[in-house]
Amino acid sequence: MNSDPFSDVLKYTDATPVVTGGFSAGGTWGIRFPQPDKIKFFALLKGDCWLAIDGEDRAVRVEAGDVLLLSTPRTFVLASDLSAVPIDAAALFAGNITKTATLGDGADCIQIGGHVRLDPVSGSLLSDMLPPLIHVRAASPQATVLHWLIDQLVREREAELPGANLSSTNLAQLIFVQILRTHLETSDTLAAGWLRAVGDKRLAPALRLMHGEPHRHWHLEELAKACAMSRTTFAHYFKSVAGDAPLTYLTNWRMCLAERALRDDNVPISTLAQSLGYTSESAFSNAFKRIVGNSPKRYQTLVKASEKTSRDFTHD
């Protein structure tokens, strides 16, 4: 199978969607959710409501079948009526192992939701590229696949079949990927960056080459030829979409891979340098320090110290 740059980045950021629960509501109701420390997603299975995000001038109308992803770290309210006094979500779900709740008779509105955990260090590569809100409306063509996935998710959770937890996790992953695909396909305001680049069909051949063999000494002519462009046209177009020149993008991706390896693998720096296409440890170290801000050894020391502090804090 060809290299898949989008999957590479999701793997690098350790993006892990988890279904956490939901609620059903009836009558007049409102719920205030705290400032999230993770990306949130939810689907409205029945009814309609308002979404009001703190700091936004206008509330968003949410209807049955809509799917939303919130990446902004701001409090928000879901309500049948924005004039209703919202109850605190933490209090509503406290002590409930299933993380589900019912307001009123629960007959008017049903919601299911979750969050996406990201690596605390590398996760910013994804979160920094996302808008505060992605709203996939039920009537949009892209919602068809999402509706099928969410229906399957609901069935898995309700039937409590063997393997339901694993199946739900995999379905949540597919839902998250489909939301991002929809964003790439429909947004006309994507900022230049890797997310816009991986969704660009004209650049796909070059990105697959670079991600497939990041250690190779790629030349601009080779990458341009793969995209059926002249060298000049390719270089200009690539930078306008990705925000970096092609070979700068390649170097940055190599450093992403290096950071992850230095955190997770006990690999000698000389071996890591060779695996990423550098002829010497010093050449790799210079490139790493220029982009990351610390030498590989210093970076590794700082990461291990941070992890130890985190473990000690948890144990205390």
Side-chain angles (χ1 to χ4, degrees):
M1 181 178 291
N2 290 333
S3 173
D4 179 1
F6 189 33
S7 295
D8 289 345
V9 175
L10 292 183
K11 182 179 179 181
Y12 167 72
T13 59
D14 199 20
T16 308
V18 178
V19 178
T20 53
F23 66 84
S24 57
T28 301
W29 58 272
I31 308 172
R32 177 172 292 281
F33 292 83
Q35 177 176 308
D37 58 357
K38 303 176 184 69
I39 297 171
K40 302 280 290 185
F41 68 91
F42 69 86
L44 202 64
L45 307 180
K46 177 184 178 181
D48 50 55
C49 66
W50 291 97
L51 165 65
I53 301 174
D54 185 42
E56 294 292 330
D57 295 333
R58 294 184 178 181
V60 176
R61 189 65 174 169
V62 186
E63 299 179 340
D66 287 6
V67 182
L68 297 95
L69 185 140
L70 292 84
S71 64
T72 182
R74 288 181 279 174
T75 59
F76 63 95
V77 170
L78 290 174
S80 63
D81 186 336
L82 292 174
S83 65
V85 178
I87 65 174
D88 181 68
L92 178 65
F93 293 103
N96 191 330
I97 193 171
T98 64
K99 297 299 180 184
T100 58
T102 302
L103 291 84
D105 61 15
D108 299 335
C109 192
I110 301 176
Q111 181 255 28
I112 187 170
H115 61 245
V116 183
R117 292 196 299 260
L118 296 175
D119 182 273
V121 177
S122 61
S124 60
L125 186 66
L126 174 60
S127 59
D128 288 352
M129 286 284 101
L130 296 177
L133 173 67
I134 298 174
H135 187 172
V136 184
R137 298 191 181 276
S140 67
Q142 293 80 15
T144 303
V145 174
L146 281 169
H147 290 162
W148 184 88
L149 291 170
I150 291 166
D151 285 345
Q152 294 300 117
L153 179 61
V154 171
R155 290 192 184 99
E156 288 288 337
R157 290 174 62 83
E158 289 180 346
E160 298 183 348
L161 298 172
N165 286 344
L166 179 59
S167 179
S168 295
T169 298
N170 289 333
L171 285 165
Q173 182 80 55
L174 291 171
I175 289 168
F176 179 56
V177 169
Q178 189 62 29
I179 293 172
L180 296 181
R181 284 176 176 171
T182 299
H183 178 57
L184 289 174
E185 184 178 342
T186 61
S187 177
D188 56 2
T189 58
L190 279 175
W194 73 264
L195 185 60
R196 181 176 166 189
V198 298
D200 191 289
K201 293 181 179 179
R202 294 181 66 189
L203 294 182
L207 288 168
R208 284 196 293 265
L209 291 176
M210 289 189 282
H211 279 254
E213 297 182 273
H215 60 279
R216 182 170 167 179
H217 295 284
W218 291 104
H219 296 286
L220 197 59
E221 291 82 359
E222 294 177 279
L223 300 173
K225 184 178 179 181
C227 296
M229 299 183 201
S230 70
R231 184 177 182 275
T232 301
T233 300
F234 172 73
H236 176 76
Y237 183 71
F238 192 102
K239 187 169 185 177
S240 71
V241 173
D244 287 313
L247 299 184
T248 300
Y249 175 96
L250 175 60
T251 300
N252 289 338
W253 178 241
R254 285 173 173 171
M255 294 307 108
C256 286
L257 297 176
E259 286 184 90
R260 194 61 187 259
L262 290 169
R263 295 200 307 272
D264 298 346
D265 303 328
N266 191 25
V267 58
I269 293 174
S270 58
T271 302
L272 178 59
Q274 186 176 17
S275 72
L276 293 174
Y278 289 89
T279 56
S280 68
E281 182 177 333
S282 62
F284 165 68
S285 296
N286 289 336
F288 188 92
K289 186 173 183 179
R290 184 179 73 252
I291 293 171
V292 179
N294 286 300
S295 69
K297 290 183 179 178
R298 176 63 176 163
Y299 177 85
Q300 199 168 41
T301 299
L302 291 172
V303 167
K304 291 185 182 299
S306 176
E307 290 175 346
K308 183 179 183 303
T309 300
S310 178
R311 288 195 300 270
D312 291 344
F313 179 79
T314 301
H315 290 156
D316 289 344

